Amino acid sequence: MITDNQNKALSGATVEAVKLYNEAVKAFNIYRGDPVGLLNRAIELAPDFAMAHILKAHLFGLATEPGATNEAKAIVARVKSQRLSEREASHVAALDLLLEGQWTAAAVALDRHSVDHPHDIVALQSGHLMDFYRANARDLRDRIARALPNWSADMPGYSILLGMYSFGLEETGDYGRAEDAGRRPLDLQPLVISTPAISARRNRPLSSGQLTASFCPIGVQASPSSVTKYEPATLIQGRPAADLGEESSTSPTCGVANLISFKACSDFVRGAV
């Protein structure tokens, strides 16, 4: 059986298609690149590749745009005709809830999913984003805290989990631990910074009122020293990352509402940093 980078079985995948899928997951993890384009290429190579369809449905469902939601529903309907593993069917069940607007139920479903599949980084990150949309700081922290003991530093994606955990700590006011947790992913993956880790480190002075909390779902290729000039865009409002370049009416808006435009956002940031 072909597996992903976290050794999870993938129904309907081929060796070449899974390479593209793994790259799409990485793009999703750090919010840069073109995960949808990579998934489309994977699906062309392996039309019955269930998780490629499922990840695409997550991306469109999290976009919160009516057109994207409708496309996600169509994807889920097609996936249901395929032969799915228990893990894949669990993803689909959570997506059904999400696409009906039941965000809390979907987030809880993915939390339960992660009990059985703690290495499923797609479920962890999608659930993490649902927690953020719902302004549930405790779940931002605890969803990842429950999974982390099952991971180790040599597993692909470990730095991503640490970044999410750091952000959850910061959002629950645990600034000291957030700082400590945020340093580790930056040390493990210094050239592709996990933005939750940036946000947690940058927002640490919030306890003294020096900064305004914000979170940007964009991966920035830089060294940790550049964090001092990095002002994240707001996730929900999708505010343009104006301080990374000249603000204009043509500046792309970077946020989960524009997940299907990852490449435009990342190109903007990469060119401006």
Side-chain angles (χ1 to χ4, degrees):
M1 174 68 76
I2 295 174
T3 61
D4 63 15
N5 280 340
Q6 286 74 40
N7 204 34
K8 306 303 292 184
L10 299 170
S11 302
T14 65
V15 172
E16 292 304 313
V18 79
K19 292 178 183 177
L20 293 166
Y21 172 79
N22 284 333
E23 289 303 310
V25 172
K26 289 179 183 178
F28 177 41
N29 290 160
I30 60 173
Y31 303 101
R32 74 174 300 160
D34 184 11
V36 174
L38 289 163
L39 291 170
N40 286 340
R41 289 166 59 196
I43 291 167
E44 286 178 8
L45 292 174
D48 294 329
F49 186 173
M51 277 305 300
H53 292 285
I54 287 168
L55 175 53
K56 188 176 175 181
H58 275 293
L59 295 176
F60 280 31
L62 290 165
T64 71
E65 295 288 339
T69 297
N70 289 336
E71 178 59 24
K73 288 180 177 179
I75 293 169
V76 168
R78 290 193 295 270
V79 169
K80 286 179 178 178
S81 68
Q82 299 175 213
R83 192 168 186 172
L84 303 175
S85 68
E86 179 275 330
R87 180 176 75 95
E88 292 158 351
S90 179
H91 268 283
V92 169
L95 281 166
D96 275 337
L97 294 168
L98 173 67
L99 298 174
E100 291 302 321
Q102 299 182 52
W103 283 71
T104 295
V108 170
L110 286 181
D111 211 358
R112 291 172 177 163
H113 173 103
S114 294
V115 172
D116 295 325
H117 307 283
H119 298 150
D120 190 336
I121 198 167
V122 170
L124 287 167
Q125 187 169 345
S126 292
H128 187 72
L129 286 169
M130 292 176 196
D131 295 337
F132 186 87
Y133 270 117
R134 299 182 304 120
N136 192 319
R138 185 180 66 183
D139 283 353
L140 275 170
R141 178 195 63 195
D142 291 351
R143 177 186 302 274
I144 307 303
R146 284 189 283 270
L148 267 175
N150 298 282
W151 287 66
S152 60
D154 60 348
M155 290 185 65
Y158 181 68
S159 62
I160 302 301
L161 255 69
L162 287 177
M164 289 190 282
Y165 181 53
S166 174
F167 183 66
L169 289 169
E170 179 270 322
E171 288 295 286
T172 51
D174 198 342
Y175 302 110
R177 291 175 66 200
E179 171 79 13
D180 293 340
R183 288 183 182 277
R184 294 182 65 195
L186 302 185
D187 291 338
L188 289 169
Q189 201 173 3
L191 294 181
V192 184
I193 295 177
S194 169
T195 50
I198 288 180
S199 182
R201 291 187 63 187
R202 180 169 174 80
N203 288 346
R204 188 176 186 276
L206 280 172
S207 57
S208 58
Q210 296 176 24
L211 294 174
T212 300
S214 54
F215 173 68
C216 181
I218 309 168
V220 180
Q221 185 171 347
S223 65
S225 63
S226 70
V227 174
T228 56
K229 68 176 182 180
Y230 178 70
E231 177 68 28
T234 303
L235 177 67
I236 296 177
Q237 294 178 347
R239 187 176 68 236
D243 67 317
L244 294 178
E246 291 296 323
E247 183 175 5
S248 71
S249 60
T250 60
S251 296
T253 298
C254 299
V256 171
N258 293 280
L259 278 169
I260 57 175
S261 301
F262 267 16
K263 192 171 187 304
C265 285
S266 64
D267 286 348
F268 173 60
V269 173
R270 185 165 54 247
V273 170

